[in-house]
Amino acid sequence: MLDAAVGQKEPRGKTVTLHAIQEPVADNLQEFHRYFRNAVRSPVGLLNTVVRYVLRQKGKRIRPTLVLLTAQACGGVTEASHRAAVLAELLHTATLVHDDVVDEAEMRRGVFSINALWKNKTAVLLGDYLLSRGLLLALEYEDFETLRILSDAVRRMSEGELLQIEKVRHLDIDEETYFRIISDKTASLIAACAACGAYSACTDPETVEQMRLMGESLGIAFQIRDDLFDYGDRGVGKPVGADLQEKKLTLPLIYALRTTNSSGRRRVMSIVRKRKKDRSDRQTVTRFVKETGGLSYARSVMVDHAHKAQHILSQLPPTPARDALTDLAEYVTIRTR
């Protein structure tokens, strides 16, 4: 087992972009797009129309990038690597479509969500279709271990979301529970992508497990960065105050509440419990979190997890793919959306 104790480091002084990170597998990503389009093709007209709309919203493709880069770093991209990347993206897209229905969200990546344009029934059925296509793809090629790894991630994602719903109702979340939630609902799929990439390229179970652990740390850093957006932290990510409006207690606020006095805690929790928060409420909570060191603490934890992922990667032979994965660990901490 690799040493998990990793200290904070200063940035390496170069600009890290997703385009540069994807360069070692640029050709593989082009092939991935072809695989993905073929995987979602259907004879049903409405389904093809909705799928074409989904395909136009390409997103950052971080998960297939992670599968392909890990495969490249662990021995080389194979046909199984491409199928794993497609399966991961199918499952991820399906969960996003279902999430928008659950959250009653009308926008996704700056455009109208599927449920906003075609209503909930079509969105739910589309998500089901994408899930089934992923399962059939894995079964057709007997990618049973890939299917097992990714299916377990979907289980964890569901449990994480349900645990968060439970904790929102009671507002009793602590730091340990927070990490359990984000490990399950976000980091599990990223960890599964890294494990599947490694498994598609090599047969060493220790390497696969180390890449899974790398992905878990990467995913935790990714989610903490997302949570920092709620406080207007650098850039323009999700709408400021979205988590607060939904009564989600994330790491910056959990730390701030833990370190303040009882009167300050009561004052802030009275705002959190409100059904509707106005701009003044959001400003009050944001100021409280900043003044009590919540943002600084969350950034520190985020960077520690990114460095833990980089430490694990340093055990691999030096290759452009390994360097790109190391850059990806930094990218997730500085991204602006």
Side-chain angles (χ1 to χ4, degrees):
M1 190 63 66
L2 295 180
D3 185 2
V6 184
Q8 291 195 44
K9 304 174 186 176
E10 292 300 317
R12 289 173 294 155
K14 70 175 183 178
T15 301
V16 178
T17 67
L18 187 57
H19 177 75
I21 289 167
Q22 292 172 329
E23 187 59 33
V25 289
D27 291 342
N28 301 117
L29 281 170
Q30 289 298 319
E31 190 72 1
F32 157 80
H33 292 308
R34 183 179 68 80
Y35 271 87
F36 192 80
R37 285 194 300 270
N38 290 338
V40 295
R41 188 172 293 141
S42 168
V44 178
L46 174 59
L47 187 52
N48 268 333
T49 298
V50 180
V51 164
R52 281 197 300 271
Y53 181 79
V54 171
L55 290 174
R56 286 201 297 270
Q57 324 310 324
K58 291 184 179 179
K60 295 186 284 289
R61 296 291 195 244
I62 285 179
R63 287 154 192 85
T65 296
L66 181 57
V67 173
L68 295 169
L69 281 174
T70 307
Q72 191 73 277
C74 292
V77 173
T78 65
E79 289 293 310
S81 308
H82 283 115
R83 293 194 299 270
V86 170
L87 177 54
E89 190 68 4
L90 284 168
L91 295 180
H92 175 58
T93 305
T95 59
L96 292 182
V97 172
H98 284 165
D99 283 349
D100 286 341
V101 173
V102 172
D103 297 338
E104 300 179 346
E106 295 188 352
M107 303 295 291
R108 164 69 62 182
R109 294 170 179 161
V111 299
F112 286 112
S113 62
I114 301 300
N115 49 296
L117 292 176
W118 284 280
K119 307 303 180 186
N120 286 347
K121 186 173 183 178
T122 299
V124 170
L125 291 172
L126 172 66
D128 293 346
Y129 173 75
L130 295 175
L131 285 170
S132 68
R133 290 301 300 148
L135 296 175
L136 288 170
L137 178 67
L139 292 172
E140 180 181 354
Y141 290 93
E142 299 185 352
D143 294 327
F144 300 130
E145 181 63 11
T146 297
L147 182 58
R148 185 197 66 76
I149 293 170
L150 285 164
S151 296
D152 188 62
V154 174
R155 173 193 63 80
R156 289 182 61 192
M157 291 164 68
S158 300
E159 289 180 350
E161 290 285 1
L162 288 166
L163 178 58
Q164 185 170 63
I165 290 171
E166 176 186 322
K167 291 302 179 180
V168 164
R169 289 174 178 168
H170 300 290
L171 292 176
D172 61 348
I173 185 171
D174 56 17
E175 196 166 317
E176 180 181 355
T177 306
Y178 167 80
F179 280 109
R180 179 182 168 192
I181 289 172
I182 69 169
S183 291
D184 283 348
K185 78 170 205 172
T186 300
S188 62
L189 183 56
I190 293 177
C193 288
C196 286
Y199 181 78
S200 72
C202 76
T203 57
D204 177 30
E206 177 65 15
T207 299
V208 175
E209 174 61 12
Q210 292 304 314
M211 290 304 98
R212 186 194 69 79
L213 292 173
M214 180 277 294
E216 190 89 13
S217 290
L218 189 70
I220 290 172
F222 186 96
Q223 184 58 55
I224 295 174
R225 182 74 188 108
D226 212 47
D227 293 340
L228 285 165
F229 286 142
D230 208 53
Y231 297 93
D233 183 64
R234 292 167 58 190
V236 286
K238 63 185 180 182
V240 174
D243 287 337
L244 179 62
Q245 184 60 51
E246 296 175 13
K247 301 181 183 178
K248 293 178 181 177
L249 301 186
T250 57
L251 188 58
L253 183 53
I254 292 169
Y255 175 84
L257 290 169
R258 177 163 60 84
T259 56
T260 194
N261 55 41
S262 57
S263 62
R265 191 179 304 110
R266 284 194 301 270
R267 176 173 59 88
V268 171
M269 287 304 296
S270 68
I271 296 175
V272 174
R273 290 189 181 93
K274 291 171 66 173
R275 186 170 183 178
K276 294 289 185 181
K277 288 90 169 173
D278 57 25
R279 183 179 179 183
S280 175
D281 291 330
R282 292 193 296 271
Q283 289 175 338
T284 297
V285 175
T286 298
R287 185 166 57 249
F288 166 76
V289 169
K290 288 180 179 177
E291 290 175 352
T292 52
L295 294 185
S296 297
Y297 176 75
R299 289 191 202 106
S300 175
V301 174
M302 172 186 67
V303 170
D304 277 344
H305 277 282
H307 287 159
K308 181 179 178 181
Q310 291 173 328
H311 179 65
I312 295 173
L313 288 166
S314 71
Q315 310 304 305
L316 293 176
T319 61
R322 188 200 70 171
D323 292 344
L325 286 167
T326 301
D327 285 344
L328 180 60
E330 181 175 340
Y331 170 81
V332 301
T333 69
I334 62 174
R335 65 191 176 91
T336 57
R337 61 186 178 92

